[in-house]
Amino acid sequence: MVEFKFADYGTDFGTRDMGAKLRGLLRPMLDGDERVVLDFTGVNVVTNSFADECIAKLLLEIPLEELKKRTTFRGLNPVANKSVLVALQRRYRVIKQQQTAS
């Protein structure tokens, strides 16, 4: 396993800009053979906007089941955990609606 340590980039993540930046750093790691640990240890704040931009938008390129196989989470506090979960659920719903409409 390989680790992506969010605390290397800060402790409070609230903007889409930062989410896009970190997604850009994270994305190539997901193309490797190793599972990627998304390590939030030491992170205090993760907003829905950041979680959507950084993590949930990965669903635009990687199907949910594949993303589950390639990643695991570590160190999320309860509030950050909820932000990530909500962002993934919302993004997944949007993708499914778009697929149904096509």
Side-chain angles (χ1 to χ4, degrees):
M1 283 201 259
V2 62
E3 293 182 345
F4 186 89
K5 295 184 181 211
F6 284 85
D8 289 348
Y9 305 96
T11 58
D12 300 311
F13 298 104
T15 67
R16 286 192 174 274
D17 286 343
M18 181 58 89
K21 176 183 174 184
L22 294 187
R23 186 179 73 246
L25 298 173
L26 172 62
R27 182 62 185 92
M29 296 173 75
L30 296 171
D31 291 332
D33 293 333
E34 293 186 78
R35 193 167 201 193
V36 179
V37 177
L38 304 176
D39 188 357
F40 284 86
T41 302
V43 172
N44 300 317
V45 176
V46 175
T47 66
N48 288 344
S49 295
F50 173 85
D52 178 57
E53 195 67 41
C54 183
I55 298 167
K57 276 194 172 180
L58 292 169
L59 293 174
L60 297 172
E61 301 175 39
I62 304 169
L64 179 61
E65 291 306 314
E66 187 66 24
L67 188 61
K68 285 181 182 179
K69 289 178 190 173
R70 293 186 191 184
T71 61
T72 190
F73 290 87
R74 179 187 300 148
L76 281 164
N77 66 43
V79 174
N81 186 62
K82 184 169 181 172
S83 292
V84 170
L85 183 60
V86 166
L88 284 166
Q89 288 172 333
R90 287 179 180 166
R91 181 63 59 179
Y92 184 75
R93 262 195 308 266
V94 168
I95 291 169
K96 284 297 176 192
Q97 288 172 349
Q98 291 171 342
Q99 289 173 345
T100 303
S102 312

